[in-house]
């Protein structure tokens, strides 16, 4: 029995390693293309690439599990928001402050990102609990379609502001002469084209590998007696890992603006693109989808939004603010495992 279990675990472990390597490769090629197109298009492109990976994982698992995956999209999106706003931004601020004591960023762009993110999170994760057309934390089909359209329009408006109308709001205030990543020569046209093709190939491979690993992930969570929400945390953590490394590296190089663009941009893309796509899948295939958070989740979400608004409300950060976010993230993980 033990030998058989080990034999089954080995292929799953190898597939997981290949999946992580593929995700890292996808983000690497996205970074090359991003360096070619410049800021803020670079961080926008990286956020889109990560979101497509996450969306592919969610849709794959929802299609495979059917009605049993009603809360998967909610759990994954909520996990991504908590990981980004508390884990990722907290780590960037904390470690950046340890090295540089105090870091600054442009508050105008960050405030615009937070305003959009607050609206998206409340409309998609909180409001379903208080509508009357359907019982429970769900939208009626008409409400789901309307909120999906509103979410996409909010995100599209943000992208237009970030990349066209007020692009300067999201650019770093200064570029350090010692920052090798910024001053490195951009890739050639041939290298950029190769990276773009490789990026598409990696995104497709991630979805296929995830579909293969889906039963193993869910079985492992079930056998451990852990809540089903852990599956969403695993998906979000897996997808955001390489981006988190890139954001922390930027903070250590005193480019906190780039770190915030990456984090907040990914959180916005996660909701603004994932929710409409999952809603469309639900309406077309008749799959149930529960978006409303429970009371514990709403409390943690509101706490996170309030603290993030206060943290990023002055244009400067210190180690204390990073520590607060990291401790909120620890509370979120603990209460997810031990609800």
């Amino acid at each position: 029995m033990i030998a058989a279990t080990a034999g089954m675990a080995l292929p799953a472990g190898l597939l997981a390693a290949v999946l992580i390597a593929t995700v890292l490769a996808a983000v690497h090629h996205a970074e090359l293309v991003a360096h070619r197109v410049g800021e803020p298009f670079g961080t926008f492109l990286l956020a889109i690439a990560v979101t497509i990976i996450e969306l592919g994982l969610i849709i794959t698992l929802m299609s495979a599990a059917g009605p049993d995956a009603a809360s998967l999209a909610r759990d994954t999106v909520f996990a991504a928001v908590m990981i980004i706003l508390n884990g990722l931004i907290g780590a960037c601020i904390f470690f950046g402050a340890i090295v540089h004591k105090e870091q600054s960023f442009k508050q105008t762009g960050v405030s615009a990102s937070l305003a959009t993110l607050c609206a998206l999170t409340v409309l998609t994760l909180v409001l379903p609990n208080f509508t009357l057309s359907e019982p429970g934390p769900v939208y009626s089909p008409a409400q789901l379609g309307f909120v999906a359209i509103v979410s996409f329009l909010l995100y599209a408006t943000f992208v237009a502001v970030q990349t066209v109308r007020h692009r300067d709001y999201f650019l770093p205030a200064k570029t350090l002469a010692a920052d090798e990543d910024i001053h490195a020569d951009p890739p050639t046209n041939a290298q950029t084209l190769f990276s773009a093709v490789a990026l598409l190939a990696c995104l497709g491979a991630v979805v296929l590998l995830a579909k293969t690993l889906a039963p193993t992930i869910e079985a492992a969570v079930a056998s451990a007696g852990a809540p089903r929400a852990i599956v969403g945390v695993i998906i979000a953590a897996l997808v955001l890992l390489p981006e988190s490394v890139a954001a922390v590296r930027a903070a250590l190089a005193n480019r906190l603006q780039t770190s915030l663009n990456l984090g907040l941009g990914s959180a916005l893309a996660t909701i603004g693109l994932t929710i409409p796509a999952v809603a469309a899948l639900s309406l077309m295939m008749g799959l149930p989808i529960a978006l409303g958070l429970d009371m514990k989740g709403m409390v943690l979400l509101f706490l996170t939004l309030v603290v993030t608004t206060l943290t990023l409300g002055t244009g400067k950060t210190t180690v204390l603010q990073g520590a607060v976010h990291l401790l909120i993230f620890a509370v979120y993980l603990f209460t997810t495992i031990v609800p």
Side-chain angles (χ1 to χ4, degrees):
M1 179 67 70
I2 297 178
T5 303
M8 293 176 62
L10 182 58
L14 290 176
L15 284 174
V18 173
L19 177 59
I20 293 175
T22 306
V23 170
L24 291 172
V27 177
H28 167 72
H29 290 295
E31 286 181 329
L32 288 179
V33 178
H35 185 45
R36 177 69 178 182
V37 300
E39 288 291 338
F41 299 100
T43 52
F44 166 70
L45 178 63
L46 187 55
I48 292 295
V50 169
T51 303
I52 291 175
I53 294 174
E54 181 181 34
L55 180 58
L57 291 174
I58 293 174
I59 291 179
T60 299
L61 293 178
M62 281 186 65
S63 301
D68 294 334
S71 62
L72 178 62
R74 176 198 65 196
D75 294 338
T76 305
V77 169
F78 179 53
V81 170
M82 297 301 288
I83 289 172
I84 291 170
L85 294 186
N86 290 316
L88 174 55
I89 290 181
C92 290
I93 294 174
F94 184 80
F95 293 112
I98 288 179
V99 176
H100 303 286
K101 293 188 178 180
E102 182 181 86
Q103 292 183 292
S104 60
F105 55 89
K106 286 188 177 180
Q107 188 180 349
T108 48
V110 169
S111 296
S113 302
L114 281 176
T116 310
L117 185 59
C118 287
L120 285 172
T121 51
V122 172
L123 289 176
T124 56
L125 300 177
V126 177
L127 186 59
N129 291 324
F130 300 96
T131 54
L132 303 177
S133 298
E134 295 283 346
V138 300
Y139 278 129
S140 69
Q143 291 170 336
L144 181 61
F146 181 76
V147 169
I149 293 173
V150 169
S151 298
F152 180 77
L153 289 177
L154 276 172
Y155 179 67
T157 304
F158 168 79
V159 170
V161 169
Q162 183 189 38
T163 59
V164 180
R165 193 170 183 87
H166 296 289
R167 180 186 175 191
D168 56 307
Y169 289 178
F170 301 87
L171 295 176
K174 60 181 180 178
T175 300
L176 299 180
D179 195 335
E180 297 180 358
D181 291 336
I182 288 293
H183 295 282
D185 293 332
T188 63
N189 289 335
Q191 291 172 327
T192 303
L193 179 61
F194 172 80
S195 290
V197 174
L199 174 60
L200 294 176
C202 289
L203 294 178
V206 165
V207 175
L208 293 176
L209 288 168
K211 185 175 182 179
T212 304
L213 276 172
T216 304
I217 295 175
E218 295 185 344
V221 171
S223 63
R228 192 179 181 84
I230 296 295
V231 177
V233 176
I234 293 173
I235 294 174
L238 174 65
V239 173
L240 293 172
L241 176 61
E243 186 180 36
S244 300
V245 173
V248 172
R249 285 178 54 195
L252 292 175
N254 205 17
R255 288 189 284 119
L256 186 61
Q257 181 72 55
T258 299
S259 300
L260 295 177
N261 286 348
L262 277 169
L264 296 176
S266 291
L268 288 166
T270 294
I271 302 178
L273 296 179
T274 300
I275 294 299
V278 170
L281 178 68
S282 173
L283 293 173
M284 288 188 298
M285 300 183 62
L287 294 176
I289 176 173
L291 292 178
L293 294 170
D294 58 14
M295 191 60 67
K296 173 179 67 69
M298 287 192 292
V299 169
L300 287 173
L301 177 62
F302 285 134
L303 174 64
T304 297
L305 293 177
V306 170
V307 171
T308 304
T309 302
L310 294 174
T311 295
L312 303 180
T314 62
K316 295 182 181 295
T317 58
T318 64
V319 68
L320 173 62
Q321 295 156 312
V324 171
H325 282 274
L326 289 176
L327 289 175
I328 293 176
F329 182 58
V331 171
Y332 160 71
L333 289 179
F334 182 80
T335 54
T336 301
I337 298 172
V338 186

